[in-house]
Amino acid sequence: MRWRPSRSSVRLTEGRVGSRTALAGVALLAAVAAGCAPAATRPAAPSVPQSERPFLRPPLEGWEGSAEPAVTAFVEELHRRLLAGEDRALVRREAVELAERRPELAPAAVVLAQLELVAGELESAAARLSPLVDGAPQYVAAAVALGHAAEGLGQVPRAYGAYRGAAPLSALAAERAELLRPRALEITGNRLSDALTRGQLEEADAQLAALRAWAPDETVTLVAEQSVAAARGDGRAELAAVRALRSRQPADPELRDRHVELEIEAGDPGEAIGILQQMQSERPDDPSVARRLARARFQWRLVLLPGEVRELLTAPELTRGELASLLYWLFPKVRYARPQRARIANDVFDHRFREEIVRVINLGLMDVDVQLHQFVPERPVTRVEAMAALLRLVAGDRPELGCLGGVGRSARVSWPMVCGAAAACGLLDSESDCLPSAGVAGREALEICRLAQGLLGTG
């Protein structure tokens, strides 16, 4: 279907006989559509500065759409007249009418944005061009104009993104992108850090997405990956970023320390052991390295646990039966001991950890209801129950430890006694951390077990 000015537009213009500008606008539209000569030349406007011309590309350049020849010819004519310095007000009115009649026609929006650029209306031009470039990054005319507008507004990352998209097809875009790239990456990285400081993770993710698109293998992006992962508590993602960073900065001491912690928590404890052994050879008298090495070795042994037991290590809350299983598998003394007595719990015979629970019960580490002969394996274990079991285990091998108080000698213990002994023996930082009725997560139980192994000399 051929494009032509509407009859309402013609009637409106004919009704304004005294308006030479409006009449000329419709006459020109009709002339282009019918193949006639254009309207009389209007007074010349100031010509477009030579420095601006390279950014005002032909509106059809890089456009992958299509339109009637008369329409595209009219767009090209508007662009020619803009560069020629014809009456900008008239050219703009005609461009506005075309854009309103054909809102789907991207080149019409581009030529109108170019008129706005020449008029210094940078924000309006950028707003008009952004949707076009988002949908077609290699639309050269739109991308170059958007990049230029964004540069004028001081929006370096926005300008770089626009130029970068068109760089494969435009030498000008490639040149501007290369020039702006370092500053764009720096600003984006700073914005990401600021967003994390303010706790705005979604904004940080948006900045990280830009860095990933622009510089996926550069250090600035890896640092950003690590920062965002750390803020989200995603150990695996942070570890991947730290591993990549360490390959570039192997001598960075802070990065090495973080690498060790992440390997222990979310990666390969064997790798952490290797790093710590190197650190120990450098600082043989540093007790902190020795403690971290012991922790890494403990984590490495967890790899040997059965799969269903390893799953408990990340459980948000352990049951009594699950704690019994951890005690059984983490302490060889429990696993290989020969109990001197046999106690009955009639509610564990079909439990998946039946063997582990029975062993823990018969070693006197956890209590059974003597009236009902029930262990209640599915009830969430309390913190005081977990502490009491571990203290009894330690007392069985090292009753001489003064920090145990009466825990090792009493069949029944009170929670103040347990909390006091746990803090004194270093299983807790202080008695205030005991919270006796609180539950116990898998990672928390794991750390307490590791500390208890230290008391036993097996950590």
Side-chain angles (χ1 to χ4, degrees):
M1 174 179 178
R2 291 177 57 82
W3 179 87
R4 56 179 58 85
S6 66
R7 292 183 179 179
S8 61
S9 176
V10 173
R11 286 197 299 271
L12 176 63
T13 306
E14 289 175 345
R16 297 177 178 177
V17 177
S19 176
R20 293 175 54 210
T21 301
L23 182 58
V26 173
L28 176 60
L29 295 176
V32 170
C36 299
T41 303
R42 290 286 161 183
S47 61
V48 176
Q50 287 296 327
S51 60
E52 296 292 304
R53 290 174 175 268
F55 300 96
L56 305 176
R57 307 300 304 164
L60 300 179
E61 185 176 345
W63 181 52
E64 296 183 352
S66 61
E68 307 92 311
V71 174
T72 57
F74 184 59
V75 170
E76 291 172 334
E77 178 67 11
L78 289 174
H79 178 256
R80 183 197 64 75
R81 291 165 62 198
L82 164 64
L83 296 182
E86 292 190 17
D87 185 347
R88 286 180 191 162
L90 174 59
V91 175
R92 183 162 181 165
R93 280 196 296 273
E94 294 172 5
V96 167
E97 181 174 350
L98 176 62
E100 289 176 348
R101 289 177 179 276
R102 300 292 296 269
E104 83 289 353
L105 187 66
V110 169
V111 77
L112 183 53
Q114 290 175 337
L115 285 157
E116 291 169 333
L117 269 177
V118 171
E121 300 169 16
L122 304 184
E123 291 186 1
S124 177
R128 191 179 304 278
L129 293 164
S130 286
L132 303 181
V133 176
D134 289 343
Q138 293 189 336
Y139 183 4
V140 173
V144 168
L146 175 58
H148 190 51
E151 278 196 87
L153 292 167
Q155 300 171 352
V156 176
R158 189 181 189 186
Y160 171 71
Y163 288 135
R164 181 180 180 274
L169 300 178
S170 166
L172 173 63
E175 178 185 341
R176 299 305 301 170
E178 183 179 0
L179 180 66
L180 296 178
R181 188 173 192 272
R183 182 63 179 146
L185 296 181
E186 179 186 1
I187 292 173
T188 304
N190 291 340
R191 287 177 179 173
L192 184 146
S193 297
D194 182 61
L196 291 179
T197 300
R198 291 182 280 109
Q200 297 180 344
L201 292 181
E202 290 187 3
E203 172 62 20
D205 282 337
Q207 301 302 326
L208 178 57
L211 290 174
R212 284 171 172 164
W214 298 343
D217 299 320
E218 293 203 14
T219 298
V220 64
T221 305
L222 294 175
V223 170
E225 295 268 11
Q226 181 193 358
S227 299
V228 172
R232 292 191 174 281
D234 187 341
R236 291 187 180 277
E238 186 183 358
L239 176 58
V242 167
R243 283 173 173 170
L245 283 170
R246 281 217 68 211
S247 68
R248 303 177 183 198
Q249 306 168 19
D252 187 316
E254 292 185 8
L255 200 56
R256 180 170 69 170
D257 281 352
R258 188 58 183 156
H259 186 193
V260 167
E261 292 303 311
L262 289 168
E263 292 290 4
I264 292 174
E265 295 172 4
D268 179 4
E271 178 71 15
I273 290 172
I275 298 171
L276 287 165
Q277 286 174 333
Q278 175 63 32
M279 292 171 66
Q280 191 173 52
S281 69
E282 298 169 0
R283 309 199 302 265
D285 298 326
D286 188 340
S288 67
V289 175
R291 287 194 297 270
R292 296 171 73 190
L293 183 56
R295 181 170 171 236
R297 285 171 173 156
F298 175 77
Q299 291 289 135
W300 181 76
R301 288 195 291 270
L302 299 180
V303 177
L304 305 176
L305 295 176
E308 62 179 348
V309 179
R310 288 201 305 274
E311 291 175 1
L312 302 179
L313 305 181
T314 56
E317 186 176 58
L318 293 178
T319 65
R320 283 167 53 83
E322 290 169 343
L323 177 66
S325 177
L326 283 182
L327 295 176
Y328 178 92
W329 286 102
L330 292 177
F331 293 90
K333 171 182 170 59
V334 177
R335 194 159 63 253
Y336 300 117
R338 295 181 179 275
Q340 300 301 310
R341 55 180 175 173
R343 292 197 293 176
I344 298 173
N346 56 28
D347 59 349
V348 303
F349 295 118
D350 296 327
H351 197 276
R352 60 176 178 150
F353 296 133
R354 178 183 64 82
E355 180 181 349
E356 294 92 328
I357 294 170
V358 169
R359 183 63 56 84
V360 167
I361 290 173
N362 288 329
L363 289 173
L365 303 180
M366 297 182 72
D367 296 326
V368 175
D369 187 311
V370 295
Q371 300 293 329
L372 301 175
H373 300 289
Q374 290 186 342
F375 179 73
V376 197
E378 299 302 333
R379 178 172 66 77
V381 68
T382 65
R383 184 169 296 191
V384 73
E385 288 174 324
M387 294 296 176
L390 285 162
L391 289 169
R392 287 167 176 163
L393 179 58
V394 171
D397 260 19
R398 301 196 62 191
E400 78 285 357
L401 285 178
C403 64
L404 292 169
V407 173
R409 301 186 298 272
S410 304
R412 299 189 66 81
V413 294
S414 64
W415 72 261
M417 183 187 301
V418 171
C419 291
C425 289
L427 301 185
L428 294 173
D429 290 337
S430 69
E431 289 188 47
S432 62
D433 294 327
C434 193
L435 303 173
S437 62
V440 181
R443 290 198 178 278
E444 181 185 7
L446 183 64
E447 179 61 12
I448 298 170
C449 287
R450 186 185 71 80
L451 294 171
Q453 286 192 358
L455 293 174
L456 292 169
T458 59

